């Protein structure tokens, strides 16, 4: 359901424990709160990107320590997917530092998608802006999710990115939907935006119809050499509030703590999971920056009694449809 920025800002202003209670109640109503979904990321084409996203270490306009690499081979990608599966991931996400893929790139990524699917993993790709017909080609190869973030509010967007517009992003999201793919769409906080901008992002996400199935909330990783490297860090409880507000406004979406977990204490992460986050990226690296080790994550999930969701269970939930498990008036989901 669409929320106005003002209404979302109102939620942010609730007393911290009221907000947490409200978010956890919504979470409990729609999901098994003791379950977490795990995705693994692989950068299939690193660095040298022509775009100017101020946060990104892979833009060729910024001087970072990222080494440019060409598109990986299908064998390299499959080896990484097998390792991800062995470490407990249910979804394998491939990221490419492109403004958007060329036709030959789509063909190569389509081959990767088909092979990964055969391993029994869900697939996700984030390749930038998609042109006419490209989302359909990816869907035909068996892609489950396409990740494309709105990143921030429409008002703050221009301060961070100049080479593509908010409307360009909305157009790609519409193409992804039209092709029948599931949408993974979120943003980044901690870039120096105001609380109103964070509310504006969540309002935009909640206005997507239907809302994204998956919502990554990235805490800016401040990479030396990027224009945003010196921004002050976000106050940790404000991050928890952002997760809680996202959970309330996007009750049926998986909310993922994406970038920025490295550097968060176990206690802070636990608060985020209580507030409604139920997905993470696992693996020692995200695309180019560090992430907590799989061992550390597994130890934390064990301490919090969080069990990982299987792709099969997720698929069953989605085919059951909104009336079955996601309706506002439905009973809490049966526990596995
Ligand atoms: N090039 C494609 C695109 O921009 O759509 C796909 C890859 S891009 C790296 C995917 C997302 O990563 C971005 O939309 C942004 O939200 C996130 N991201 C990039 N750098 C980040 C950083 N330093 N901290 C947090 N999130 C970041
Ligand atoms: C998303 O929202 N976050 C991921 C994924 N989608 C592709 C990327 C995070 C990148 C963090 C910076 C890096 O590792 O280069
Ligand atoms: Fe390129 Fe994506 Fe990084 Fe922007 S976020 S510079 S489009 S890789």
């Amino acid at each position: 359901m669409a929320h106005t920025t003002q209404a979302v800002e109102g939620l942010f202003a609730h007393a911290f424990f009221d907000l947490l209670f409200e978010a956890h109640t919504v979470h409990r109503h729609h999901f098994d709160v003791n379950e977490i979904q795990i995705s693994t990321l692989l950068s299939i084409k690193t660095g040298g990107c022509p775009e100017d996203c101020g946060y990104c270490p892979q833009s060729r306009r910024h001087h970072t320590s990222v080494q440019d690499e060409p598109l990986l081979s299908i064998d390299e990608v499959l080896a990484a997917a097998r390792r991800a599966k062995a470490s407990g991931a249910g979804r394998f996400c491939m990221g490419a530092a492109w403004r958007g893929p060329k036709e030959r790139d789509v063909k190569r990524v389509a081959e990767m998608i088909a092979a990964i699917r055969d391993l029994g993993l869900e697939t996700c790709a984030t390749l930038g802006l998609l042109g006419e017909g490209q989302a359909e080609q990816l869907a035909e190869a068996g892609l489950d999710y396409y990740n494309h973030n709105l990143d921030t509010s429409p008002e703050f967007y221009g301060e961070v990115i100049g080479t593509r517009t908010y409307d360009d992003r909305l157009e790609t999201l519409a193409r992804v939907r039209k092709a029948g793919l599931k949408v993974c769409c979120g943003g980044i906080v901690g870039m120096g935006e105001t609380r109103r901008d964070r509310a504006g992002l969540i309002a935009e996400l909640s206005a997507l119809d239907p809302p994204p199935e998956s919502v990554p909330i990235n805490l800016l990783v401040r990479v030396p050499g990027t224009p945003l490297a010196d921004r002050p860090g976000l106050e940790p409880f404000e991050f928890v509030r952002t997760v809680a507000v996202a959970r309330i406004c996007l009750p049926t979406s998986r909310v993922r703590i994406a970038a920025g977990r490295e550097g968060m204490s176990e206690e802070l992460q636990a608060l985020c999971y209580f507030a409604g986050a139920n997905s993470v990226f696992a693996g020692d690296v995200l695309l180019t920056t560090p992430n907590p080790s799989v061992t550390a994550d597994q130890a934390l999930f064990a301490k919090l009694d969080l069990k990982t969701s299987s792709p099969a269970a997720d698929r069953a939930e989605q085919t059951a449809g909104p009336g079955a498990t996601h309706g506002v008036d439905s009973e809490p989901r049966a526990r596995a």
Side-chain angles (χ1 to χ4, degrees):
M1 191 187 89
H3 298 258
T4 63
T5 300
Q6 202 180 4
V8 180
E9 222 183 348
L11 288 170
F12 268 95
H14 285 183
F16 185 73
F17 288 124
D18 290 340
L19 177 61
L20 231 58
F21 180 76
E22 201 181 338
H24 185 75
T25 305
V26 171
H27 188 36
R28 189 165 277 278
H29 198 84
H30 292 278
F31 287 95
D32 176 350
V33 298
N34 300 311
E35 179 256 33
I36 191 158
Q37 183 271 331
I38 314 267
S39 292
T40 294
L41 261 180
L42 177 70
S43 181
I44 58 169
K45 191 272 169 190
T46 305
C49 184
E51 301 300 283
D52 69 350
C53 311
Y55 47 75
C56 185
Q58 301 196 69
S59 166
R60 69 168 172 239
R61 298 164 194 244
H62 314 326
H63 301 285
T64 67
S65 58
V66 169
Q67 302 285 319
D68 299 353
E69 280 167 31
L71 184 62
L72 296 182
S73 71
I74 188 158
D75 289 344
E76 288 169 304
V77 174
L78 265 180
R82 285 199 189 93
R83 285 195 298 273
K85 191 177 179 192
S87 73
R91 191 179 309 159
F92 191 72
C93 309
M94 291 173 280
W98 289 318
R99 173 178 167 86
K102 300 192 175 67
E103 280 311 312
R104 66 163 191 273
D105 299 325
V106 173
K107 289 201 171 60
R108 290 177 69 182
V109 176
E111 281 175 37
M112 294 172 188
I113 290 164
I116 296 162
R117 230 184 122 80
D118 287 346
L119 298 177
L121 285 164
E122 286 185 319
T123 54
C124 177
T126 181
L127 315 173
L129 298 172
L130 294 180
E132 182 72 39
Q134 292 187 328
E136 282 77 7
Q137 289 178 62
L138 296 170
E140 268 166 38
L143 186 69
D144 295 296
Y145 290 80
Y146 194 80
N147 166 245
H148 197 62
N149 292 336
L150 287 176
D151 276 350
T152 187
S153 68
E155 293 77 19
F156 190 67
Y157 184 89
E159 307 218 357
V160 182
I161 301 152
T163 50
R164 53 180 157 172
T165 65
Y166 218 77
D167 281 347
D168 291 335
R169 290 185 185 252
L170 289 168
E171 187 186 331
T172 285
L173 289 167
R175 289 195 162 141
V176 168
R177 259 301 168 225
K178 197 164 139 260
L181 292 166
K182 289 192 273 253
V183 172
C184 173
C185 181
I188 313 181
V189 294
M191 299 194 292
E193 75 286 342
T194 61
R195 180 181 271 186
R196 188 170 175 82
D197 292 315
R198 290 187 280 280
L201 167 67
I202 293 173
E204 289 288 333
L205 294 171
S206 75
L208 295 175
D209 187 17
E213 283 79 5
S214 170
V215 177
I217 303 186
N218 296 277
L219 176 63
L220 176 70
V221 181
R222 291 170 290 171
V223 180
T226 60
L228 303 186
D230 299 325
R231 293 286 152 110
L234 188 71
E235 204 282 311
F237 294 116
E238 183 68 11
F239 185 79
V240 180
R241 276 185 201 266
T242 308
V243 169
V245 172
R247 168 50 67 224
I248 294 167
C249 298
L250 297 151
T252 62
S253 307
R254 280 221 178 248
V255 174
R256 176 174 312 115
I257 325 180
R261 277 196 311 121
E262 175 81 348
M264 284 185 199
S265 68
E266 291 195 333
E267 295 85 341
L268 177 60
Q269 288 184 59
L271 261 186
C272 292
Y273 302 137
F274 184 82
N278 58 355
S279 173
V280 290
F281 286 121
D284 298 349
V285 274
L286 290 162
L287 291 173
T288 66
T289 63
N291 196 45
S293 73
V294 171
T295 326
D297 276 345
Q298 283 173 352
L300 176 59
F301 299 154
K303 281 188 259 188
L304 301 177
D305 304 308
L306 285 174
K307 58 190 180 299
T308 55
S309 73
S310 70
D314 253 22
R315 267 197 289 273
E317 180 186 311
Q318 274 142 10
T319 39
T325 57
H326 287 169
V328 184
D329 299 325
S330 66
E331 290 300 306
R333 283 185 44 205
R335 304 291 180 260

